[in-house]
Amino acid sequence: MIKIGIYGYGNLGRGVEAAIKLSKDFELVAVFTRRNPLDLKIATKTAKVISADDVLKYKDEIDVMILCGGSATDLPTQTPYLAQYFNCIDSFDTHANAYEHFKAVDAAALNAKKLSIVSVGWDPGMFSLNRAIMQSILPSGNDYTFWGKGVSQGHSDAIRRIDGVIDARQYTIPIDEALKSVRNGENPNLTTRQKHRRECYVVVKEGADKARIEKEIKEMPNYFSDYDTTVNFISQEELNKNHSGIPHGGFVIRSGKTSDGVNHVIEYNLKLDSNPEFTGSILLAYARAAYKMKSRNESGARTVFDVSAADLSNLSYEDLLKHTL
Amino acid sequence: MIKIGIYGYGNLGRGVEAAIKLSKDFELVAVFTRRNPLDLKIATKTAKVISADDVLKYKDEIDVMILCGGSATDLPTQTPYLAQYFNCIDSFDTHANAYEHFKAVDAAALNAKKLSIVSVGWDPGMFSLNRAIMQSILPSGNDYTFWGKGVSQGHSDAIRRIDGVIDARQYTIPIDEALKSVRNGENPNLTTRQKHRRECYVVVKEGADKARIEKEIKEMPNYFSDYDTTVNFISQEELNKNHSGIPHGGFVIRSGKTSDGVNHVIEYNLKLDSNPEFTGSILLAYARAAYKMKSRNESGARTVFDVSAADLSNLSYEDLLKHTL
């Protein structure tokens, strides 16, 4: 049994917890929270709820810690810190800062002889893995990534951290014309803005400065500034009623030639009823890989680019060759 | 520069050769052939054409040998033999015997401290990799693989090896009803026969026993016996005119739940103008990985389940994190 800790119990933490129930080789030991542990009810009766302040007391009881905080402010400090004491998995998803984050975690984990895998999820994560493989197979071509329509946890989270905001939901929506052109193999040149738009539903505190909040959202670097973004201020009731689901999806397509007039299209796509449950399921599979890699005395930071399918799988190598190959 | 040898110069060998032209880090050193080398014209002017009998003379001049023979009779003996002298890549695609083939190559390569990657291509290969990862992420679900409509090189090759056959083309065709049911998330139970049918176009020698040939095709284990197969005897002229293309494609879909009523669908699909050119491109990317893995002193046999995206890629790790993650 691989002993798992969940650090942060929001949607993603609950997604990891749901995934643990579906696999026989994991045991949830504890959920760590910055809230008062007495106030937190979790779904797993056999697991403890522990204050984040006491996390180091569990460093010998947990094989892999799955960090479920946000990329905007939590993970940049939490992962490098916890990587000194635990094998960690995180879903750091700010593409522009991913390399710096990797380097910070790598230094901490190498020094501690622990192994952490960062930026795990579906994008970055599965989509990145597919992009890298597609590019390796078809070097002469173009790839395109589209997201949605779906709720982005990272972007919703980023809005919620703005002063005056109570709650928010952000939908990423692919732009139809762009999608059609790519699937037709037209290899269009598309700007970020031509591919997707962003739609935000925001609940603010009474008397909050809506104009300032809307401006902060629309100008937020990496998250919103490169997109056409619409901001709708609504009540908490309306948000709960009409925007409580967290579906998502998207696809990666690469179109490339191997000789004159000989074209190939590779596509990977996802249709997800729940983004955090699917992401949690990915994090858990990578926790299995981290456990195996650490058992071989590997240390430092890794990403999806380093992890083999054999390490993700709970099947024996013989079974993989006999039944999955 | 990674120095490549191509062993066998049929459609697949030419596909590998085409792929080498598109990447800057490979050099084709030689093509090895069982034919008279003087009779063989290859597309790469800087590469030699050498008799297969002389292959061992090149064991210090080639970093990775890409075997381009057929799975029915060539690769089961060629790969274990050449794996004693070269780092090898093959596309062994008889699923039922893949484990035994792997073991034979592993023993040879371990003993020689060389590294070989077997059963590379798109199925087995990319499809296997996707199946393994999908199963790891969504353990509670089902996956389905469909092929076609397209020409299977392995199956066409198997027909051509039958006594009395001059040429052949085999199309694998997914059965529409099955495809629809899977994409609707109905999780149907489908037999091999319910998913695909096989359509064969065969040119035979004058006076050949067509009834015996048709029977041999339809009863061939692993290749045809589990499918509804139709065999059409046609002239070489008709084959050349109507069946000279070698397109293929297919998809792998996994549908699975993470909690009550919460479903996810992962799909990977391919649309290929030329099966051998695409397969050749995959073999070449795995040749790069084999070269890198051998440089780290790894030895033995590997499959797509063992190979990381970082090893497949010609990008630096920093570039992968900055541009592909």
Side-chain angles (χ1 to χ4, degrees):
Chain A
M1 297 290 271
I2 303 170
K3 291 174 280 179
I4 298 290
I6 293 175
Y7 194 89
Y9 196 70
N11 287 328
L12 183 56
R14 284 189 291 271
V16 172
E17 187 181 26
I20 290 172
K21 289 209 180 97
L22 300 176
S23 290
K24 289 175 184 159
D25 53 342
F26 295 105
E27 176 195 352
L28 178 60
V29 173
V31 167
F32 299 90
T33 179
R34 286 175 297 191
R35 291 175 264 178
N36 182 343
L38 298 176
D39 294 343
L40 192 66
K41 296 273 174 267
I42 66 171
T44 309
K45 289 187 179 130
T46 53
K48 299 173 188 168
V49 179
I50 306 292
S51 165
D53 296 338
D54 295 329
V55 66
L56 295 193
K57 291 179 186 165
Y58 286 79
K59 72 189 175 65
D60 297 324
E61 293 183 40
I62 284 169
D63 293 318
V64 186
M65 183 71 82
I66 302 181
L67 280 71
C68 298
S71 295
T73 61
D74 298 334
L75 298 176
T77 54
Q78 285 175 358
T79 317
Y81 174 71
L82 291 172
Q84 301 176 89
Y85 306 100
F86 298 92
N87 304 306
C88 295
I89 307 293
D90 84 12
S91 61
F92 186 79
D93 69 358
T94 310
H95 289 261
N97 302 332
Y99 182 67
E100 285 65 35
H101 182 69
F102 170 86
K103 294 296 279 183
V105 176
D106 191 45
L110 273 175
N111 190 51
K113 297 199 169 74
K114 298 283 182 185
L115 189 131
S116 285
I117 310 178
V118 298
S119 296
V120 175
W122 57 273
D123 197 5
M126 288 298 111
F127 276 17
S128 321
L129 181 65
N130 274 281
R131 281 188 289 264
I133 298 173
M134 291 173 184
Q135 289 166 5
S136 302
I137 294 173
L138 293 177
S140 180
N142 294 299
D143 54 55
Y144 299 85
T145 302
F146 288 84
W147 302 274
K149 180 185 176 173
V151 173
S152 164
Q153 292 171 278
H155 289 79
S156 301
D157 196 49
I159 299 172
R160 278 192 292 267
R161 285 167 196 284
I162 292 173
D163 188 50
V165 172
I166 295 170
D167 203 351
R169 202 73 86 244
Q170 191 268 176
Y171 294 97
T172 305
I173 304 168
I175 293 171
D176 279 346
E177 294 71 24
L179 194 52
K180 278 180 195 160
S181 174
V182 169
R183 284 193 139 162
N184 287 342
E186 295 166 14
N187 280 316
N189 288 314
L190 299 166
T191 63
T192 298
R193 199 173 298 276
Q194 287 173 318
K195 291 174 65 187
H196 301 89
R197 56 192 179 85
R198 298 195 179 277
E199 213 170 78
C200 310
Y201 295 85
V202 184
V203 182
V204 296
K205 288 178 186 157
E206 215 177 301
D209 180 350
K210 291 180 180 174
R212 189 257 310 158
I213 289 170
E214 180 164 344
K215 188 169 182 297
E216 276 194 43
I217 294 171
K218 290 185 171 178
E219 295 179 356
M220 197 183 299
N222 303 320
Y223 282 80
F224 292 100
S225 61
D226 297 333
Y227 300 85
D228 287 338
T229 300
T230 55
V231 177
N232 305 283
F233 292 101
I234 61 173
S235 69
Q236 184 74 57
E237 292 67 35
E238 195 181 334
L239 190 89
N240 294 348
K241 187 180 163 208
N242 298 332
H243 305 282
S244 63
I246 23 187
H248 218 316
F251 57 88
V252 178
I253 300 177
R254 187 169 180 91
S255 170
K257 292 197 189 313
T258 51
S259 61
D260 272 359
V262 178
N263 195 64
H264 311 280
V265 181
I266 312 175
E267 175 172 340
Y268 178 85
N269 71 57
L270 298 171
K271 291 172 208 133
L272 314 174
D273 278 358
S274 162
N275 187 0
E277 285 193 19
F278 188 74
T279 301
S281 299
I282 299 173
L283 295 184
L284 192 67
Y286 279 85
R288 179 185 291 124
Y291 178 80
K292 291 187 191 179
M293 293 164 86
K294 181 59 175 58
S295 303
R296 298 193 301 264
N297 290 317
E298 291 193 42
S299 63
R302 298 289 186 276
T303 66
V304 293
F305 298 133
D306 303 293
V307 178
S308 72
D311 280 341
L312 291 173
S313 177
N314 66 347
L315 296 179
S316 71
Y317 198 72
E318 184 173 338
D319 278 344
L320 273 177
L321 290 198
K322 287 186 172 171
H323 306 299
T324 304
L325 190 76
Chain B
M1 296 291 271
I2 303 172
K3 289 174 282 178
I4 298 292
I6 293 175
Y7 194 89
Y9 196 70
N11 287 329
L12 183 56
R14 284 189 290 274
V16 172
E17 188 181 25
I20 290 172
K21 289 210 180 92
L22 301 176
S23 290
K24 289 175 184 159
D25 53 344
F26 296 105
E27 176 194 350
L28 179 60
V29 172
V31 168
F32 298 91
T33 179
R34 287 176 296 191
R35 289 175 266 178
N36 181 344
L38 298 176
D39 295 342
L40 193 65
K41 296 272 173 268
I42 65 171
T44 309
K45 289 184 180 136
T46 54
K48 297 172 188 167
V49 180
I50 306 292
S51 165
D53 296 338
D54 294 329
V55 66
L56 296 193
K57 292 180 185 164
Y58 286 78
K59 71 188 175 63
D60 297 323
E61 293 183 40
I62 284 168
D63 294 318
V64 186
M65 184 72 81
I66 302 181
L67 279 69
C68 297
S71 296
T73 62
D74 298 333
L75 298 176
T77 54
Q78 286 175 357
T79 318
Y81 174 70
L82 291 173
Q84 301 176 88
Y85 306 101
F86 297 92
N87 304 306
C88 295
I89 307 293
D90 84 12
S91 61
F92 185 80
D93 69 359
T94 310
H95 290 261
N97 303 332
Y99 182 66
E100 285 65 34
H101 182 70
F102 170 86
K103 294 298 279 183
V105 176
D106 192 44
L110 274 175
N111 191 50
K113 296 200 170 74
K114 298 284 181 185
L115 188 131
S116 285
I117 310 179
V118 298
S119 295
V120 175
W122 57 273
D123 196 5
M126 287 299 111
F127 277 16
S128 323
L129 181 66
N130 274 281
R131 282 189 288 265
I133 298 174
M134 291 174 183
Q135 290 165 5
S136 303
I137 294 172
L138 293 178
S140 180
N142 294 298
D143 53 56
Y144 299 86
T145 302
F146 288 84
W147 302 274
K149 177 184 177 174
V151 174
S152 164
Q153 291 171 278
H155 289 79
S156 301
D157 196 49
I159 299 172
R160 278 192 292 265
R161 286 168 196 283
I162 293 174
D163 187 49
V165 172
I166 296 172
D167 204 351
R169 203 72 86 246
Q170 191 268 179
Y171 294 96
T172 305
I173 304 169
I175 292 170
D176 279 347
E177 295 71 26
L179 194 54
K180 279 180 194 157
S181 173
V182 169
R183 284 193 138 160
N184 287 340
E186 293 165 15
N187 280 316
N189 289 315
L190 298 167
T191 63
T192 298
R193 201 173 296 275
Q194 287 173 316
K195 290 174 66 186
H196 301 89
R197 56 193 180 84
R198 297 195 180 277
E199 213 170 78
C200 310
Y201 294 86
V202 184
V203 182
V204 296
K205 288 180 186 156
E206 215 178 301
D209 181 349
K210 290 181 181 175
R212 188 258 309 159
I213 290 170
E214 179 163 344
K215 187 168 184 296
E216 276 194 44
I217 294 171
K218 289 185 171 178
E219 295 180 356
M220 197 183 300
N222 301 322
Y223 283 80
F224 292 101
S225 62
D226 296 334
Y227 301 84
D228 287 338
T229 300
T230 55
V231 177
N232 305 283
F233 293 101
I234 60 173
S235 68
Q236 185 74 57
E237 291 67 35
E238 196 180 334
L239 190 88
N240 294 348
K241 187 181 161 206
N242 298 330
H243 305 282
S244 63
I246 22 187
H248 218 315
F251 56 89
V252 179
I253 300 178
R254 187 168 180 91
S255 169
K257 292 196 189 313
T258 50
S259 61
D260 273 359
V262 178
N263 195 64
H264 311 281
V265 180
I266 312 176
E267 175 172 342
Y268 178 83
N269 70 57
L270 297 172
K271 289 172 209 134
L272 313 175
D273 278 357
S274 162
N275 187 0
E277 286 193 19
F278 188 73
T279 301
S281 299
I282 299 173
L283 295 183
L284 191 66
Y286 279 85
R288 179 186 289 126
Y291 178 80
K292 292 187 191 179
M293 294 164 86
K294 181 60 175 56
S295 303
R296 297 193 302 262
N297 291 316
E298 292 193 41
S299 63
R302 299 288 187 277
T303 66
V304 293
F305 299 134
D306 303 293
V307 179
S308 72
D311 280 342
L312 292 173
S313 178
N314 67 345
L315 296 179
S316 71
Y317 198 72
E318 183 173 339
D319 278 344
L320 274 177
L321 291 198
K322 288 186 171 171
H323 305 299
T324 303
L325 190 74

